[in-house]
Amino acid sequence: RVSTGLLLLRVGARLAVVLHGYGKIQQPFSWVGPNADTPGILQALAALSEFGGGFAWILGLLTPLASFGLACTMAVAAWTHAIKLHDPFVRMGPEGGGSYELASVYLCTALLFLFAGPGRFSLDRAFFGKQSA
């Protein structure tokens, strides 16, 4: 049952991350914008972790590497929104704006897969044998 839950979480959460990363991977070195203080290589690593790491998670392939990349990216995103931009955890009301809720949820999900692994229904299990739930 745990492996079924991990599979559903891998596919559902990571499909969302792939969609978030799709726009970034189109312009990997400049997706933050022309006035960004983030170096292009770090922007590209974030885009790759979201887009490529999302696909890796869906397949359950190279899960520790994908999880580490996504955890780093989401930690920076949560920190940026919480500390640098002073956004609230959850943005309430119709006014829109940023929050760090989603980045925090993705960070927790990345940490779960980093520590628990992808589960039985994964390519990691097929290629590397039993290593987790």
Side-chain angles (χ1 to χ4, degrees):
R1 289 195 287 198
V2 171
S3 287
T4 302
L6 290 171
L7 172 65
L8 293 173
L9 183 60
R10 271 196 352 254
V11 173
R14 291 310 108 192
L15 186 57
V17 169
V18 167
L19 294 175
H20 279 280
Y22 179 74
K24 296 170 185 162
I25 205 74
Q26 302 300 310
Q27 298 178 339
F29 295 96
S30 61
W31 60 267
V32 175
N35 299 325
D37 58 355
T38 305
I41 189 68
L42 294 179
Q43 293 181 53
L45 286 172
L48 181 63
S49 77
E50 287 187 25
F51 191 72
F55 275 118
W57 266 16
I58 289 170
L59 299 172
L61 180 64
L62 303 174
T63 304
L65 180 62
S67 299
F68 179 75
L70 285 162
C72 291
T73 300
M74 293 302 119
V76 169
W79 179 86
T80 299
H81 281 280
I83 305 302
K84 188 174 179 182
L85 300 175
H86 304 289
D87 287 334
F89 180 67
V90 176
R91 179 71 64 176
M92 303 297 268
E95 71 275 355
S99 72
Y100 60 99
E101 171 190 17
L102 191 56
S104 298
V105 170
Y106 288 154
L107 171 59
C108 290
T109 306
L111 292 173
L112 169 72
F113 286 115
L114 186 61
F115 296 124
R120 186 173 51 195
F121 307 118
S122 66
L123 291 179
D124 281 344
R125 170 86 182 247
F127 294 149
F128 307 116
K130 184 177 182 179
Q131 296 185 8
S132 66

